[in-house]
Amino acid sequence: MIINNIFSFFQKLFLSFYNNSYILKNIDFIIFMNILLLIISSVVCSSDGIGNFAIFIIILTFVKLLTKPNEKFELTLGDKCLLVYFLVVLVSVAGSSLLFLSIKGFCKTLIYLGFYVSLIHFMKDNKNLIKYIFIIIGLLAIGECVVAIHQNFISVSEISGWQDTSRLNPEEVITRVYGTLKPYNPNLFGGYLVSVLPATLMGVFLPLKNKHFKMALLLSLFFVLCIVTIILTGCRGAYISLLAEIICLLIFSYRLMPQAYKRFFKMVALICVAISAFVLASLPAFKARIISIFAMRQDSSNSFRFNVYNSCLQMFKDNWLLGIGVGNQNFREIYGLYMRTGFDALSAYNIYLEMAVESGILALISFGTFIYFNIRKCIKYIWNNKDDKVLYLLIAVLSVIGILVHGFVDTVFFRPQIQFLFWIMIAVIRVLTTESITDGERRN
C-alpha cells in the first residue's frame, strides 16, 4: 500500500527522535488513558466533550503511525467494505444540496471511523489491556444502575412526553429512568445499558474460570441489576434488544458449557425465564408497556414512528443511490419537505433507513457487509474455540447485536455514548479474530 510506504519513510526519518523520546515510547499508555477517559466521559459529558477525547486519540495514533517503527495499515475483507462505505459517504456529501451541513455531519463520521482505526492500532499491540476496558465499562454500568434505581424510588418526573398515557390507568404509568447521560432521555439510556450489559459478564465468567463460584454468584447480581434497570427505562426498543442478547447469551453459554452441566443449565434457564415472565406479568405498568409494543397504530408513539418511516421511505425513493448527505441537521432540513403535518422528527427512528436516506443504498450495503463479516468471524471463533479470547469476543458480539437490534426502532446509535461503544466492540472483534486467522494460516 502506498500509505504504508509513506509511513515507512517518516518512521525512518524520525527514528532517532523516537528512540530518544520518552513520550513516544509510551504513547500507547497515553492513548489507553484517553480511551478510558472517553468511556468515563460518556456518562457525564456532552457530545462535544466526548468527541474531544476521540479527536485527541486520533491525533496520538497518527503521531504513532508516523514515528513508531514497523507500524502500518493492514486491511481485512471487512475493512475494505468499510473503506467502500467511507468513499460512498464522501461522494454523497460532495453531491449534497446542503453541502455545508453535510460536511459537518461528515466530520462526525470521520471522527468515528478515525477512532475505530485508532483502536485497532492500539489493541493489536495491547491485547492484555482489553479486559480493563471492559471492566471500566462494566463498573460504569453498575454506577448508572445505582443512579437509575434512585431515580425510580424518588419517582423522577418526565422532562418531555416519554409515554402515551391516554389509554392507561394510573397504576399502568411507569417512572422512566434516564441516568446521567446527556441529553436526558430514557431511550438513550436504555440503548446505552443494552450496549454495556454484556461487559458486566466479566464479573461472572472470570470468577467461574478460576472456580470462585460464590464470587461469581455474588457478582452475577450486577448483571441482574443491569437487566432490571433496562426494564425501568421503559424503552421498548431496549426490551427487544435485551431479549435478543439474552437468547444469544443462552445459546453461546450452552455451547461453551461442559457436557455434564448442560442438563442442569437448561433447567435453571427455564426456571429463570418462567420467574421473569411471571414477575413482569404481575406488574401492571410493565405489562402495559410491553403490550404497547404490539399496539401498532393504537399507540401514539408507534403511530408517530410509522408516519416518520413513510416520509423517510419517500425520501429514500427520491435519493436512493447516494442519499441526501450525512448529518442530523441535514436530515432535518430535507425531512421538512416530506413530513406529514404535525410529525416533525429529529431522525428516521431506524438506523438502517437513516443510513439509506443519508448516504444511499450503496452505503447501506457496504456498511451491512462490514458488520456481517465481523459478526460471522466472531461467532465462528466463539463456536470453535474455548480459549481466553472467547470471553472478550462474547462480550463484544452480544453488545453489537444488542445495538443493531435496538437500531431497528430508534436512532440513539448515532449518539456518541453508544456509537463509541459500538466501535470499541467492533475493534475487539476485528483485532482478536484477525490475529487468530493469521496464526492459523501460518501454522498451516
Side-chain angles (χ1 to χ4, degrees):
M1 293 176 63
I2 297 176
I3 192 168
N4 284 332
N5 293 332
I6 296 174
F7 285 139
S8 179
F9 170 78
F10 281 102
Q11 287 163 12
K12 293 176 182 177
L13 184 66
F14 293 120
L15 182 60
S16 60
F17 181 64
Y18 176 85
N19 291 332
N20 293 290
S21 173
Y22 177 82
I23 293 177
L24 290 178
K25 287 184 177 180
N26 292 276
I27 198 167
D28 276 347
F29 177 76
I30 302 173
I31 292 173
F32 177 60
M33 288 295 102
N34 278 274
I35 291 172
L36 297 185
L37 288 173
L38 180 145
I39 295 170
I40 295 170
S41 70
S42 296
V43 300
V44 293
C45 293
S46 63
S47 297
D48 290 340
I50 303 168
N52 288 335
F53 285 109
I55 293 171
F56 191 47
I57 291 168
I58 294 169
I59 293 172
L60 288 172
T61 302
F62 184 68
V63 172
K64 175 183 173 180
L65 286 168
L66 289 177
T67 59
K68 186 177 180 179
N70 301 319
E71 281 292 322
K72 60 182 180 179
F73 276 107
E74 293 180 349
L75 296 178
T76 64
L77 185 57
D79 293 337
K80 292 176 182 177
C81 294
L82 187 63
L83 179 60
V84 171
Y85 165 77
F86 172 77
L87 294 175
V88 172
V89 170
L90 186 61
V91 174
S92 173
V93 169
S96 175
S97 58
L98 298 173
L99 181 61
F100 178 72
L101 293 179
S102 290
I103 290 175
K104 289 180 66 177
F106 177 74
C107 289
K108 295 179 182 178
T109 301
L110 194 61
I111 290 172
Y112 289 131
L113 296 182
F115 179 68
Y116 168 67
V117 173
S118 300
L119 287 171
I120 291 174
H121 283 275
F122 169 76
M123 289 183 178
K124 68 183 179 64
D125 298 323
N126 302 276
K127 298 178 188 66
N128 59 312
L129 297 178
I130 292 175
K131 67 177 178 181
Y132 297 108
I133 293 175
F134 283 141
I135 288 172
I136 291 296
I137 292 173
L139 290 174
L140 288 173
I142 295 166
E144 284 298 309
C145 289
V146 172
V147 171
I149 295 296
H150 173 70
Q151 291 176 342
N152 181 68
F153 275 119
I154 65 174
S155 298
V156 289
S157 58
E158 294 185 358
I159 297 176
S160 60
W162 289 339
Q163 188 176 185
D164 181 7
T165 59
S166 60
R167 299 174 180 271
L168 299 177
N169 296 322
E171 67 273 9
E172 293 177 331
V173 179
I174 67 172
T175 298
R176 299 190 64 185
V177 299
Y178 48 82
T180 65
L181 275 67
K182 298 176 183 179
Y184 299 132
N185 186 312
N187 288 344
L188 170 61
F189 189 49
Y192 173 81
L193 289 177
V194 166
S195 307
V196 299
L197 172 67
T200 62
L201 291 173
M202 288 286 289
V204 180
F205 287 122
L206 285 181
L208 280 178
K209 177 186 173 183
N210 298 316
K211 298 184 178 180
H212 297 153
F213 300 113
K214 291 183 180 179
M215 180 62 70
L217 182 61
L218 178 63
L219 295 179
S220 66
L221 295 177
F222 293 134
F223 179 73
V224 175
L225 177 65
C226 196
I227 292 177
V228 171
T229 307
I230 291 173
I231 296 172
L232 292 177
T233 65
C235 177
R236 297 171 298 175
Y239 292 175
I240 297 170
S241 50
L242 172 62
L243 179 62
E245 284 187 346
I246 295 298
I247 291 173
C248 291
L249 177 61
L250 291 174
I251 292 172
F252 286 129
S253 298
Y254 183 79
R255 171 69 180 83
L256 298 172
M257 189 167 291
Q259 188 65 38
Y261 294 102
K262 286 188 175 182
R263 186 174 181 180
F264 176 73
F265 175 79
K266 287 193 291 184
M267 181 180 67
V268 171
L270 289 172
I271 292 174
C272 290
V273 170
I275 292 175
S276 300
F278 174 78
V279 170
L280 290 176
S282 302
L283 299 172
F286 298 107
K287 179 181 176 182
R289 192 67 182 159
I290 293 172
I291 291 175
S292 70
I293 295 174
F294 309 98
M296 305 304 286
R297 286 279 186 179
Q298 294 181 1
D299 181 86
S300 63
S301 179
N302 294 350
S303 183
F304 177 83
R305 277 171 164 75
F306 289 140
N307 289 326
V308 174
Y309 293 157
N310 289 335
S311 298
C312 290
L313 284 172
Q314 189 59 51
M315 290 172 66
F316 172 66
K317 289 178 183 178
D318 293 344
N319 306 274
W320 65 273
L321 184 59
L322 293 173
I324 62 173
V326 294
N328 61 307
Q329 292 181 335
N330 184 61
F331 174 89
R332 291 204 66 187
E333 292 292 330
I334 303 298
Y335 175 79
L337 304 175
Y338 291 85
M339 76 174 188
R340 290 183 56 181
T341 303
F343 292 93
D344 191 13
L346 300 175
S347 64
Y349 290 98
N350 181 298
I351 62 174
Y352 311 101
L353 181 56
E354 178 140 345
M355 195 172 293
V357 166
E358 290 186 353
S359 304
I361 189 67
L362 297 178
L364 179 61
I365 292 173
S366 55
F367 189 81
T369 307
F370 164 74
I371 297 298
Y372 166 75
F373 281 130
N374 279 282
I375 291 181
R376 186 187 68 173
K377 285 199 301 181
C378 185
I379 293 176
K380 184 177 180 180
Y381 188 88
I382 293 172
W383 209 256
N384 295 327
N385 296 274
K386 294 186 179 181
D387 57 26
D388 293 341
K389 297 175 190 173
V390 167
L391 172 58
Y392 304 146
L393 291 172
L394 178 64
I395 291 172
V397 76
L398 286 177
S399 181
V400 168
I401 288 173
I403 293 170
L404 294 178
V405 171
H406 193 195
F408 278 104
V409 292
D410 212 331
T411 45
V412 291
F413 168 79
F414 295 109
R415 289 287 182 181
Q417 293 93 334
I418 296 177
Q419 184 148 162
F420 281 126
L421 283 171
F422 171 81
W423 289 113
I424 288 172
M425 301 304 171
I426 289 291
V428 170
I429 292 172
R430 193 272 193 198
V431 169
L432 295 186
T433 58
T434 301
E435 182 205 38
S436 64
I437 291 173
T438 303
D439 290 347
E441 290 173 351
R442 288 171 182 170
R443 287 192 296 269
N444 292 333

